[in-house]
């Protein structure tokens, strides 16, 4: 899949937000962590909006009529709970007319430390021939993202899918490349890290995004 966009490769304010969510000193403020994820989502929304369909329409002003390019595409925003919620909100701030989908997926660990990804729940609209934007802050192995995408296909086949992650491992991106069609899927990431630990955590990464945003959970 050649359609991979790494936003953090350019020197912009975007990288300030990435740096803050990575920083152990800043992470102690969960409200700021959530807000930074939201701001990152807004930037992703702006960049993705450049790829959507527009048409010229009249806008009546107090002094006349202006012809403006208006967005035709109404995307469906989907997120993997719970870590994806602030990132999802950032995209929704810009795509404020979008329909929304929510998927619960988690790692079910075995006693030997191995795990499998399980999808517990999905709430989603019809996505046939729609533009789907599927977000999760961390793309580690890529398994959760692919399973969530496959679950969403039960509600129709989207015209195009944009996969959005803030921090991705190279292995995770390669997994998506093997399991998603390059003709109708694009990958948008903030930064790509090279290493996964034996427990499939991204290094240097940032830690557990869900815990940092909403507090620690009881482990299985």
């Amino acid at each position: 899949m050649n359609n991979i966009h790494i936003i953090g490769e350019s020197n912009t304010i975007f990288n300030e937000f990435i740096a803050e969510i990575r920083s152990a000193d800043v992470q102690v403020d969960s409200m700021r962590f959530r807000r930074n994820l939201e701001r990152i989502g807004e930037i992703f929304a702006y960049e993705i909006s450049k790829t959507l369909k527009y048409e010229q329409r009249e806008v009546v002003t107090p002094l006349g009529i202006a012809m403006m390019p208006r967005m035709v595409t109404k995307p469906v925003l989907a997120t993997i709970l719970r870590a994806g919620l602030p990132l999802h909100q950032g995209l929704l701030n810009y795509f404020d007319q979008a329909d929304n989908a929510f998927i619960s997926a988690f790692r079910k660990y075995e006693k030997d430390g191995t795990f499998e990804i399980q999808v517990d729940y999905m709430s989603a609209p019809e996505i046939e021939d729609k533009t789907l934007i599927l977000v999760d802050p961390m793309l580690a192995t890529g398994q959760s993202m692919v399973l969530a995408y496959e679950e969403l296909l039960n509600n129709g086949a989207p015209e195009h899918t944009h996969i959005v992650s803030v921090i991705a491992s190279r292995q995770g991106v390669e997994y998506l490349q093997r399991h998603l069609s390059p003709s109708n899927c694009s990958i948008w990431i903030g930064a790509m890290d090279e290493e996964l630990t034996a427990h499939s955590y991204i290094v240097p990464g940032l830690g557990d995004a869900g815990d940092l945003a909403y507090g620690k959970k009881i482990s299985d």
Side-chain angles (χ1 to χ4, degrees):
M1 189 184 306
N2 296 321
N3 205 8
I4 299 175
H5 309 270
I6 305 177
I7 305 301
E9 287 184 336
S10 301
N11 291 328
T12 69
I13 191 67
F14 182 85
N15 283 320
E16 288 296 314
F17 304 146
I18 296 285
E20 287 201 5
I21 64 172
R22 285 192 191 266
S23 170
D25 292 333
V26 182
Q27 287 178 351
V28 295
D29 185 346
S30 60
M31 183 173 68
R32 187 164 186 84
F33 185 85
R34 292 192 303 271
R35 179 63 183 123
N36 279 330
L37 281 180
E38 186 176 340
R39 292 194 288 188
I40 288 168
E42 291 170 346
I43 294 173
F44 274 125
Y46 174 76
E47 294 297 328
I48 291 172
S49 75
K50 298 175 184 178
T51 73
L52 304 181
K53 297 175 182 177
Y54 294 79
E55 67 180 18
Q56 292 289 325
R57 295 179 182 171
E58 291 185 352
V59 177
V60 179
T61 81
L63 299 176
I65 295 176
M67 296 301 297
M68 296 290 299
R70 303 296 298 273
M71 192 168 64
V72 176
T73 307
K74 182 182 178 183
V76 175
L77 304 182
T79 192
I80 301 176
L81 301 173
R82 63 182 168 147
L85 288 172
L87 184 63
H88 177 101
Q89 183 61 52
L91 280 109
L92 186 59
N93 289 347
Y94 281 19
F95 297 123
D96 51 12
Q97 300 299 314
D99 292 328
N100 296 268
F102 301 92
I103 302 158
S104 174
F106 67 99
R107 294 180 177 185
K108 182 175 177 59
Y109 285 91
E110 304 296 338
K111 291 182 179 180
D112 61 1
T114 61
F115 66 88
E116 62 178 13
I117 305 296
Q118 291 193 353
V119 174
D120 256 3
Y121 167 84
M122 180 183 77
S123 173
E126 174 70 40
I127 63 171
E128 184 72 27
D129 295 328
K130 300 286 185 67
T131 294
L132 174 66
I133 303 176
L134 175 58
V135 310
D136 194 13
M138 308 297 286
L139 181 70
T141 66
Q143 295 178 46
S144 295
M145 195 71 85
V146 170
L147 282 177
Y149 174 74
E150 291 174 345
E151 190 73 16
L152 285 163
L153 292 182
N154 291 321
N155 285 33
E159 179 184 13
H160 194 89
T161 299
H162 298 276
I163 303 293
V164 177
S165 280
V166 181
I167 308 291
S169 75
R170 185 169 298 277
Q171 295 96 316
V173 172
E174 291 172 350
Y175 186 85
L176 294 190
Q177 289 177 304
R178 293 194 300 271
H179 290 84
L180 300 179
S181 169
S183 63
N184 66 348
C185 287
S186 303
I187 300 174
W188 300 79
I189 59 178
M192 186 183 298
D193 292 350
E194 295 294 331
E195 185 181 347
L196 276 182
T197 70
H199 296 289
S200 297
Y201 289 105
I202 303 172
V203 177
L206 54 77
D208 189 305
D211 286 358
L212 291 167
Y214 297 110
K216 291 187 179 297
K217 59 187 177 298
I218 297 175
S219 299
D220 294 333

